[in-house]
Amino acid sequence: MSTGKVRLIMIDDHELFRDGLSLFLQMQTDLEIVATAATPMELRHLLSAHQVDVVMMDISLPQQSGIDLSKQLLKEYPKLKIIFLSGNEGQAYIEQSLKAGGKGFVPKSAPKTEVLEAIRHVAGGQFYFPSELAQSIFQQYISQLHLQTDASTVTERELEVLRCFANGMSFKEIEDHLHISKKTIEHHKKAIFDKLGFSSNADLVKYAIKNNIIEL
Amino acid sequence: MSTGKVRLIMIDDHELFRDGLSLFLQMQTDLEIVATAATPMELRHLLSAHQVDVVMMDISLPQQSGIDLSKQLLKEYPKLKIIFLSGNEGQAYIEQSLKAGGKGFVPKSAPKTEVLEAIRHVAGGQFYFPSELAQSIFQQYISQLHLQTDASTVTERELEVLRCFANGMSFKEIEDHLHISKKTIEHHKKAIFDKLGFSSNADLVKYAIKNNIIEL
DNA sequence: CGATTTTTGCGGGATTCCCCCCATACTAAA
DNA sequence: TTTAGTATGGGGGGAATCCCGCAAAAATCG
């Protein structure tokens, strides 16, 4: 990238946002906005047709979360540099984006100069994360990475149970829905509470909303 | 508005979004973007200094929700036309925006031409709501408006109890927090469930989040 | 103003639901 | 083979829910 422009693709389901930002980015002489995408599928098509350096990705996407999508994409395109954009700048999001292999994170509340900074850092092979949060995140993250990656691995089945509870279902309703006994549900629920550190059902609901497991 | 341009102000806490959209709107010859604001306070200052026709407002704002803000502003400036922009296009949001006196609603996932349409409609004295939703909303809304406003009269005390439950507190914790007996809390909780039609605690949490009673 | 309704507050008792610790068992992956 | 995930079960205790009724203050109504 020392020669030529940084080739980038943006994916965001909000056309307003997408066009607005790409308009701004196009003014930069060192960038080339190859294309923009609204859906994961569009993005896949674009990636298979173009050579791309950087993808700017909204975390909340239709169909699939940006986190999941980036994990998949990085298997196919290991050299791809992904910068996440998110309206929600909670630490949990940033951690998730790191785990997913993201190279940068920019809250949507940031000034647009920060987007440029992020792109240039990341295109140059560096990481870019919000300075205010970088310190505490790296400290906390690095020290607890082992524990957390173990702990926060919610299994598929647990996720189903979690979704049921977040939708307000009772044990009996879940029994019928998933065809497992109340005891098994108890077991999964306990595991979920332990892994994710919930102390009330309300925590569970909030988590499910934050992580797009259920609709608000 | 038949003579001269439509004078509008935009308020959104995301600079990226704000600048992107205003860049696009400035290209329109019939519009004049007076200014943009990031916070309710900025907006108030701008409104007291300029003559404005339309305000485009993000529903999720720092400090205060756009719904609350618009209610207050309309007391001071009854002629103001407010268009809400929201990333969340749930029906509950649109209903709230109607109740708050909004004249238009545009999801952030809409194409940018829809923003223009909305502005022109609203500036011309009409309402603008997403066509796909307009029908069902107006039907449902108009027919149930009386019932809903009656039913949803949650008293102050009930709201406190609601907030506690939504924050994941148990009966005992609420006893200590509000200094009332478990039986009274039960009573309030039952009233809340009846009035708002909840069928699970998860419903309660979601309601509290939607209505900015608690933080997500 | 007095009367009624609403809001807020408290209680008993029965029932159901949920939580917790225990143990078991099969399967698949590391 | 050990670990992790999924699945199930017993039994106890505590928490929540639901059914009643009662009462004082506040707001609203006639």
Side-chain angles (χ1 to χ4, degrees), chain B residues 155 157 180-181 183-184 187-188:
Chain B
T155 64
R157 200 56 167 166
I180 55 178
S181 88
K183 289 295 177 179
T184 305
H187 184 275
H188 287 312

PDB file of all heavy atoms in Angstrom, chain B residues 155 157 180-181 183-184 187-188, chain C residues 7-14:
ATOM      1  N   THR B 155     -48.987   4.849  36.527  1.00  0.00           N
ATOM      2  CA  THR B 155     -48.769   5.867  37.565  1.00  0.00           C
ATOM      3  C   THR B 155     -47.285   5.968  37.896  1.00  0.00           C
ATOM      4  O   THR B 155     -46.488   5.100  37.548  1.00  0.00           O
ATOM      5  CB  THR B 155     -49.533   5.518  38.843  1.00  0.00           C
ATOM      6  OG1 THR B 155     -49.002   4.304  39.375  1.00  0.00           O
ATOM      7  CG2 THR B 155     -51.004   5.330  38.569  1.00  0.00           C
ATOM      8  N   ARG B 157     -45.737   5.677  40.677  1.00  0.00           N
ATOM      9  CA  ARG B 157     -45.254   4.606  41.546  1.00  0.00           C
ATOM     10  C   ARG B 157     -45.039   3.324  40.754  1.00  0.00           C
ATOM     11  O   ARG B 157     -44.046   2.616  40.933  1.00  0.00           O
ATOM     12  CB  ARG B 157     -46.258   4.380  42.677  1.00  0.00           C
ATOM     13  CG  ARG B 157     -45.694   3.678  43.889  1.00  0.00           C
ATOM     14  CD  ARG B 157     -44.502   4.414  44.451  1.00  0.00           C
ATOM     15  NE  ARG B 157     -44.128   3.942  45.790  1.00  0.00           N
ATOM     16  CZ  ARG B 157     -42.998   4.227  46.378  1.00  0.00           C
ATOM     17  NH1 ARG B 157     -42.102   4.968  45.754  1.00  0.00           N
ATOM     18  NH2 ARG B 157     -42.734   3.771  47.585  1.00  0.00           N
ATOM     19  N   ILE B 180     -41.327  -0.360  50.521  1.00  0.00           N
ATOM     20  CA  ILE B 180     -42.709  -0.838  50.539  1.00  0.00           C
ATOM     21  C   ILE B 180     -42.669  -2.365  50.600  1.00  0.00           C
ATOM     22  O   ILE B 180     -41.643  -2.963  50.302  1.00  0.00           O
ATOM     23  CB  ILE B 180     -43.507  -0.379  49.290  1.00  0.00           C
ATOM     24  CG1 ILE B 180     -42.794  -0.813  48.007  1.00  0.00           C
ATOM     25  CG2 ILE B 180     -43.744   1.109  49.330  1.00  0.00           C
ATOM     26  CD1 ILE B 180     -43.535  -0.439  46.746  1.00  0.00           C
ATOM     27  N   SER B 181     -43.765  -2.956  51.004  1.00  0.00           N
ATOM     28  CA  SER B 181     -43.764  -4.400  51.215  1.00  0.00           C
ATOM     29  C   SER B 181     -43.859  -5.156  49.894  1.00  0.00           C
ATOM     30  O   SER B 181     -44.292  -4.622  48.872  1.00  0.00           O
ATOM     31  CB  SER B 181     -44.914  -4.806  52.118  1.00  0.00           C
ATOM     32  OG  SER B 181     -46.070  -5.036  51.347  1.00  0.00           O
ATOM     33  N   LYS B 183     -45.912  -7.288  49.118  1.00  0.00           N
ATOM     34  CA  LYS B 183     -47.307  -7.369  48.677  1.00  0.00           C
ATOM     35  C   LYS B 183     -47.694  -6.161  47.828  1.00  0.00           C
ATOM     36  O   LYS B 183     -48.385  -6.278  46.829  1.00  0.00           O
ATOM     37  CB  LYS B 183     -48.227  -7.460  49.895  1.00  0.00           C
ATOM     38  CG  LYS B 183     -48.139  -8.787  50.605  1.00  0.00           C
ATOM     39  CD  LYS B 183     -48.647  -9.885  49.693  1.00  0.00           C
ATOM     40  CE  LYS B 183     -48.513 -11.249  50.342  1.00  0.00           C
ATOM     41  NZ  LYS B 183     -49.015 -12.317  49.483  1.00  0.00           N
ATOM     42  N   THR B 184     -47.230  -5.037  48.224  1.00  0.00           N
ATOM     43  CA  THR B 184     -47.527  -3.818  47.456  1.00  0.00           C
ATOM     44  C   THR B 184     -46.856  -3.884  46.091  1.00  0.00           C
ATOM     45  O   THR B 184     -47.443  -3.491  45.081  1.00  0.00           O
ATOM     46  CB  THR B 184     -47.026  -2.581  48.222  1.00  0.00           C
ATOM     47  OG1 THR B 184     -47.601  -2.609  49.521  1.00  0.00           O
ATOM     48  CG2 THR B 184     -47.420  -1.313  47.512  1.00  0.00           C
ATOM     49  N   HIS B 187     -48.789  -6.040  43.861  1.00  0.00           N
ATOM     50  CA  HIS B 187     -49.964  -5.303  43.409  1.00  0.00           C
ATOM     51  C   HIS B 187     -49.636  -4.403  42.237  1.00  0.00           C
ATOM     52  O   HIS B 187     -50.315  -4.410  41.210  1.00  0.00           O
ATOM     53  CB  HIS B 187     -50.506  -4.489  44.577  1.00  0.00           C
ATOM     54  CG  HIS B 187     -51.767  -3.761  44.271  1.00  0.00           C
ATOM     55  ND1 HIS B 187     -51.789  -2.526  43.671  1.00  0.00           N
ATOM     56  CD2 HIS B 187     -53.049  -4.109  44.464  1.00  0.00           C
ATOM     57  CE1 HIS B 187     -53.049  -2.151  43.526  1.00  0.00           C
ATOM     58  NE2 HIS B 187     -53.835  -3.078  43.994  1.00  0.00           N
ATOM     59  N   HIS B 188     -48.562  -3.634  42.382  1.00  0.00           N
ATOM     60  CA  HIS B 188     -48.150  -2.724  41.313  1.00  0.00           C
ATOM     61  C   HIS B 188     -47.765  -3.507  40.063  1.00  0.00           C
ATOM     62  O   HIS B 188     -48.134  -3.141  38.943  1.00  0.00           O
ATOM     63  CB  HIS B 188     -46.977  -1.858  41.767  1.00  0.00           C
ATOM     64  CG  HIS B 188     -47.355  -0.811  42.746  1.00  0.00           C
ATOM     65  ND1 HIS B 188     -48.439   0.023  42.571  1.00  0.00           N
ATOM     66  CD2 HIS B 188     -46.819  -0.459  43.928  1.00  0.00           C
ATOM     67  CE1 HIS B 188     -48.529   0.844  43.595  1.00  0.00           C
ATOM     68  NE2 HIS B 188     -47.568   0.579  44.442  1.00  0.00           N
TER      69      HIS B 188
ATOM     70  P    DT C   7     -55.280   5.345  38.864  1.00  0.00           P
ATOM     71  OP1  DT C   7     -54.616   6.006  37.720  1.00  0.00           O
ATOM     72  OP2  DT C   7     -55.675   3.921  38.772  1.00  0.00           O
ATOM     73  O5'  DT C   7     -54.326   5.498  40.138  1.00  0.00           O
ATOM     74  C5'  DT C   7     -54.113   6.799  40.677  1.00  0.00           C
ATOM     75  C4'  DT C   7     -53.380   6.696  42.001  1.00  0.00           C
ATOM     76  O4'  DT C   7     -54.297   6.328  43.046  1.00  0.00           O
ATOM     77  C3'  DT C   7     -52.262   5.648  42.019  1.00  0.00           C
ATOM     78  O3'  DT C   7     -51.037   6.293  42.350  1.00  0.00           O
ATOM     79  C2'  DT C   7     -52.702   4.643  43.081  1.00  0.00           C
ATOM     80  C1'  DT C   7     -53.637   5.470  43.952  1.00  0.00           C
ATOM     81  N1   DT C   7     -54.686   4.688  44.674  1.00  0.00           N
ATOM     82  C2   DT C   7     -54.845   4.870  46.033  1.00  0.00           C
ATOM     83  O2   DT C   7     -54.163   5.628  46.688  1.00  0.00           O
ATOM     84  N3   DT C   7     -55.852   4.121  46.605  1.00  0.00           N
ATOM     85  C4   DT C   7     -56.690   3.220  45.964  1.00  0.00           C
ATOM     86  O4   DT C   7     -57.547   2.610  46.579  1.00  0.00           O
ATOM     87  C5   DT C   7     -56.470   3.087  44.547  1.00  0.00           C
ATOM     88  C7   DT C   7     -57.309   2.146  43.751  1.00  0.00           C
ATOM     89  C6   DT C   7     -55.486   3.820  43.971  1.00  0.00           C
ATOM     90  P    DT C   8     -49.660   5.531  42.349  1.00  0.00           P
ATOM     91  OP1  DT C   8     -48.580   6.495  42.044  1.00  0.00           O
ATOM     92  OP2  DT C   8     -49.842   4.314  41.526  1.00  0.00           O
ATOM     93  O5'  DT C   8     -49.479   5.072  43.863  1.00  0.00           O
ATOM     94  C5'  DT C   8     -49.522   6.026  44.903  1.00  0.00           C
ATOM     95  C4'  DT C   8     -49.699   5.347  46.245  1.00  0.00           C
ATOM     96  O4'  DT C   8     -51.014   4.742  46.314  1.00  0.00           O
ATOM     97  C3'  DT C   8     -48.711   4.200  46.504  1.00  0.00           C
ATOM     98  O3'  DT C   8     -47.822   4.562  47.552  1.00  0.00           O
ATOM     99  C2'  DT C   8     -49.591   3.010  46.872  1.00  0.00           C
ATOM    100  C1'  DT C   8     -50.933   3.649  47.189  1.00  0.00           C
ATOM    101  N1   DT C   8     -52.094   2.755  46.933  1.00  0.00           N
ATOM    102  C2   DT C   8     -52.972   2.489  47.969  1.00  0.00           C
ATOM    103  O2   DT C   8     -52.843   2.962  49.086  1.00  0.00           O
ATOM    104  N3   DT C   8     -54.006   1.651  47.639  1.00  0.00           N
ATOM    105  C4   DT C   8     -54.253   1.063  46.407  1.00  0.00           C
ATOM    106  O4   DT C   8     -55.218   0.330  46.253  1.00  0.00           O
ATOM    107  C5   DT C   8     -53.300   1.389  45.372  1.00  0.00           C
ATOM    108  C7   DT C   8     -53.469   0.811  43.998  1.00  0.00           C
ATOM    109  C6   DT C   8     -52.277   2.210  45.675  1.00  0.00           C
ATOM    110  P    DG C   9     -46.615   3.613  47.918  1.00  0.00           P
ATOM    111  OP1  DG C   9     -45.583   4.400  48.612  1.00  0.00           O
ATOM    112  OP2  DG C   9     -46.275   2.888  46.693  1.00  0.00           O
ATOM    113  O5'  DG C   9     -47.249   2.589  48.958  1.00  0.00           O
ATOM    114  C5'  DG C   9     -47.581   3.032  50.266  1.00  0.00           C
ATOM    115  C4'  DG C   9     -48.427   1.999  50.983  1.00  0.00           C
ATOM    116  O4'  DG C   9     -49.622   1.740  50.223  1.00  0.00           O
ATOM    117  C3'  DG C   9     -47.805   0.607  51.113  1.00  0.00           C
ATOM    118  O3'  DG C   9     -47.030   0.522  52.306  1.00  0.00           O
ATOM    119  C2'  DG C   9     -49.026  -0.310  51.198  1.00  0.00           C
ATOM    120  C1'  DG C   9     -50.189   0.579  50.791  1.00  0.00           C
ATOM    121  N9   DG C   9     -51.072  -0.065  49.829  1.00  0.00           N
ATOM    122  C8   DG C   9     -50.947  -0.145  48.464  1.00  0.00           C
ATOM    123  N7   DG C   9     -51.910  -0.815  47.890  1.00  0.00           N
ATOM    124  C5   DG C   9     -52.724  -1.203  48.941  1.00  0.00           C
ATOM    125  C6   DG C   9     -53.926  -1.957  48.958  1.00  0.00           C
ATOM    126  O6   DG C   9     -54.522  -2.448  47.996  1.00  0.00           O
ATOM    127  N1   DG C   9     -54.422  -2.112  50.244  1.00  0.00           N
ATOM    128  C2   DG C   9     -53.834  -1.606  51.387  1.00  0.00           C
ATOM    129  N2   DG C   9     -54.446  -1.859  52.548  1.00  0.00           N
ATOM    130  N3   DG C   9     -52.725  -0.895  51.399  1.00  0.00           N
ATOM    131  C4   DG C   9     -52.224  -0.744  50.151  1.00  0.00           C
ATOM    132  P    DC C  10     -46.215  -0.729  52.595  1.00  0.00           P
ATOM    133  OP1  DC C  10     -45.360  -0.343  53.728  1.00  0.00           O
ATOM    134  OP2  DC C  10     -45.625  -1.219  51.349  1.00  0.00           O
ATOM    135  O5'  DC C  10     -47.279  -1.793  53.110  1.00  0.00           O
ATOM    136  C5'  DC C  10     -47.987  -1.552  54.331  1.00  0.00           C
ATOM    137  C4'  DC C  10     -49.001  -2.657  54.553  1.00  0.00           C
ATOM    138  O4'  DC C  10     -49.945  -2.680  53.462  1.00  0.00           O
ATOM    139  C3'  DC C  10     -48.418  -4.068  54.595  1.00  0.00           C
ATOM    140  O3'  DC C  10     -48.366  -4.530  55.933  1.00  0.00           O
ATOM    141  C2'  DC C  10     -49.377  -4.918  53.746  1.00  0.00           C
ATOM    142  C1'  DC C  10     -50.511  -3.968  53.440  1.00  0.00           C
ATOM    143  N1   DC C  10     -51.059  -4.205  52.074  1.00  0.00           N
ATOM    144  C2   DC C  10     -52.282  -4.860  51.949  1.00  0.00           C
ATOM    145  O2   DC C  10     -52.883  -5.230  52.958  1.00  0.00           O
ATOM    146  N3   DC C  10     -52.777  -5.077  50.695  1.00  0.00           N
ATOM    147  C4   DC C  10     -52.102  -4.657  49.632  1.00  0.00           C
ATOM    148  N4   DC C  10     -52.629  -4.884  48.436  1.00  0.00           N
ATOM    149  C5   DC C  10     -50.843  -3.984  49.752  1.00  0.00           C
ATOM    150  C6   DC C  10     -50.366  -3.785  50.984  1.00  0.00           C
ATOM    151  P    DG C  11     -47.599  -5.896  56.279  1.00  0.00           P
ATOM    152  OP1  DG C  11     -47.255  -5.859  57.723  1.00  0.00           O
ATOM    153  OP2  DG C  11     -46.563  -6.117  55.254  1.00  0.00           O
ATOM    154  O5'  DG C  11     -48.722  -7.013  56.060  1.00  0.00           O
ATOM    155  C5'  DG C  11     -49.855  -7.031  56.909  1.00  0.00           C
ATOM    156  C4'  DG C  11     -50.802  -8.114  56.434  1.00  0.00           C
ATOM    157  O4'  DG C  11     -51.368  -7.727  55.169  1.00  0.00           O
ATOM    158  C3'  DG C  11     -50.165  -9.474  56.173  1.00  0.00           C
ATOM    159  O3'  DG C  11     -50.438 -10.345  57.262  1.00  0.00           O
ATOM    160  C2'  DG C  11     -50.799  -9.979  54.879  1.00  0.00           C
ATOM    161  C1'  DG C  11     -51.829  -8.914  54.555  1.00  0.00           C
ATOM    162  N9   DG C  11     -51.941  -8.684  53.126  1.00  0.00           N
ATOM    163  C8   DG C  11     -51.181  -7.850  52.344  1.00  0.00           C
ATOM    164  N7   DG C  11     -51.530  -7.843  51.091  1.00  0.00           N
ATOM    165  C5   DG C  11     -52.595  -8.736  51.035  1.00  0.00           C
ATOM    166  C6   DG C  11     -53.379  -9.143  49.936  1.00  0.00           C
ATOM    167  O6   DG C  11     -53.280  -8.777  48.765  1.00  0.00           O
ATOM    168  N1   DG C  11     -54.354 -10.064  50.327  1.00  0.00           N
ATOM    169  C2   DG C  11     -54.546 -10.531  51.607  1.00  0.00           C
ATOM    170  N2   DG C  11     -55.529 -11.414  51.784  1.00  0.00           N
ATOM    171  N3   DG C  11     -53.821 -10.145  52.641  1.00  0.00           N
ATOM    172  C4   DG C  11     -52.863  -9.259  52.282  1.00  0.00           C
ATOM    173  P    DG C  12     -49.736 -11.768  57.362  1.00  0.00           P
ATOM    174  OP1  DG C  12     -49.498 -12.071  58.780  1.00  0.00           O
ATOM    175  OP2  DG C  12     -48.618 -11.792  56.408  1.00  0.00           O
ATOM    176  O5'  DG C  12     -50.877 -12.751  56.795  1.00  0.00           O
ATOM    177  C5'  DG C  12     -52.238 -12.492  57.091  1.00  0.00           C
ATOM    178  C4'  DG C  12     -53.108 -13.632  56.566  1.00  0.00           C
ATOM    179  O4'  DG C  12     -53.489 -13.352  55.185  1.00  0.00           O
ATOM    180  C3'  DG C  12     -52.439 -15.002  56.559  1.00  0.00           C
ATOM    181  O3'  DG C  12     -53.385 -15.997  56.948  1.00  0.00           O
ATOM    182  C2'  DG C  12     -51.995 -15.187  55.114  1.00  0.00           C
ATOM    183  C1'  DG C  12     -53.027 -14.383  54.330  1.00  0.00           C
ATOM    184  N9   DG C  12     -52.511 -13.737  53.124  1.00  0.00           N
ATOM    185  C8   DG C  12     -51.420 -12.913  53.030  1.00  0.00           C
ATOM    186  N7   DG C  12     -51.209 -12.463  51.825  1.00  0.00           N
ATOM    187  C5   DG C  12     -52.235 -13.019  51.071  1.00  0.00           C
ATOM    188  C6   DG C  12     -52.524 -12.891  49.675  1.00  0.00           C
ATOM    189  O6   DG C  12     -51.917 -12.237  48.829  1.00  0.00           O
ATOM    190  N1   DG C  12     -53.648 -13.633  49.337  1.00  0.00           N
ATOM    191  C2   DG C  12     -54.391 -14.394  50.190  1.00  0.00           C
ATOM    192  N2   DG C  12     -55.434 -15.039  49.667  1.00  0.00           N
ATOM    193  N3   DG C  12     -54.138 -14.522  51.498  1.00  0.00           N
ATOM    194  C4   DG C  12     -53.046 -13.814  51.861  1.00  0.00           C
ATOM    195  P    DG C  13     -52.877 -17.468  57.210  1.00  0.00           P
ATOM    196  OP1  DG C  13     -53.815 -18.055  58.194  1.00  0.00           O
ATOM    197  OP2  DG C  13     -51.420 -17.469  57.439  1.00  0.00           O
ATOM    198  O5'  DG C  13     -53.139 -18.167  55.793  1.00  0.00           O
ATOM    199  C5'  DG C  13     -54.404 -18.024  55.152  1.00  0.00           C
ATOM    200  C4'  DG C  13     -54.397 -18.752  53.808  1.00  0.00           C
ATOM    201  O4'  DG C  13     -53.870 -17.871  52.780  1.00  0.00           O
ATOM    202  C3'  DG C  13     -53.529 -20.013  53.788  1.00  0.00           C
ATOM    203  O3'  DG C  13     -54.234 -21.028  53.079  1.00  0.00           O
ATOM    204  C2'  DG C  13     -52.288 -19.579  53.027  1.00  0.00           C
ATOM    205  C1'  DG C  13     -52.875 -18.574  52.053  1.00  0.00           C
ATOM    206  N9   DG C  13     -51.938 -17.585  51.543  1.00  0.00           N
ATOM    207  C8   DG C  13     -50.917 -16.958  52.222  1.00  0.00           C
ATOM    208  N7   DG C  13     -50.249 -16.107  51.490  1.00  0.00           N
ATOM    209  C5   DG C  13     -50.856 -16.187  50.242  1.00  0.00           C
ATOM    210  C6   DG C  13     -50.563 -15.492  49.038  1.00  0.00           C
ATOM    211  O6   DG C  13     -49.684 -14.651  48.825  1.00  0.00           O
ATOM    212  N1   DG C  13     -51.422 -15.875  48.019  1.00  0.00           N
ATOM    213  C2   DG C  13     -52.430 -16.792  48.137  1.00  0.00           C
ATOM    214  N2   DG C  13     -53.158 -17.038  47.048  1.00  0.00           N
ATOM    215  N3   DG C  13     -52.722 -17.443  49.253  1.00  0.00           N
ATOM    216  C4   DG C  13     -51.896 -17.084  50.256  1.00  0.00           C
ATOM    217  P    DA C  14     -53.619 -22.510  53.095  1.00  0.00           P
ATOM    218  OP1  DA C  14     -54.607 -23.374  53.759  1.00  0.00           O
ATOM    219  OP2  DA C  14     -52.200 -22.495  53.541  1.00  0.00           O
ATOM    220  O5'  DA C  14     -53.632 -22.829  51.534  1.00  0.00           O
ATOM    221  C5'  DA C  14     -54.739 -22.387  50.733  1.00  0.00           C
ATOM    222  C4'  DA C  14     -54.354 -22.455  49.261  1.00  0.00           C
ATOM    223  O4'  DA C  14     -53.525 -21.310  48.935  1.00  0.00           O
ATOM    224  C3'  DA C  14     -53.561 -23.703  48.882  1.00  0.00           C
ATOM    225  O3'  DA C  14     -54.113 -24.273  47.696  1.00  0.00           O
ATOM    226  C2'  DA C  14     -52.139 -23.200  48.669  1.00  0.00           C
ATOM    227  C1'  DA C  14     -52.363 -21.751  48.257  1.00  0.00           C
ATOM    228  N9   DA C  14     -51.276 -20.844  48.652  1.00  0.00           N
ATOM    229  C8   DA C  14     -50.652 -20.756  49.860  1.00  0.00           C
ATOM    230  N7   DA C  14     -49.711 -19.850  49.912  1.00  0.00           N
ATOM    231  C5   DA C  14     -49.719 -19.295  48.644  1.00  0.00           C
ATOM    232  C6   DA C  14     -48.951 -18.274  48.048  1.00  0.00           C
ATOM    233  N6   DA C  14     -47.986 -17.595  48.696  1.00  0.00           N
ATOM    234  N1   DA C  14     -49.219 -17.973  46.769  1.00  0.00           N
ATOM    235  C2   DA C  14     -50.179 -18.650  46.122  1.00  0.00           C
ATOM    236  N3   DA C  14     -50.956 -19.620  46.559  1.00  0.00           N
ATOM    237  C4   DA C  14     -50.675 -19.903  47.850  1.00  0.00           C
TER     238       DA C  14
END
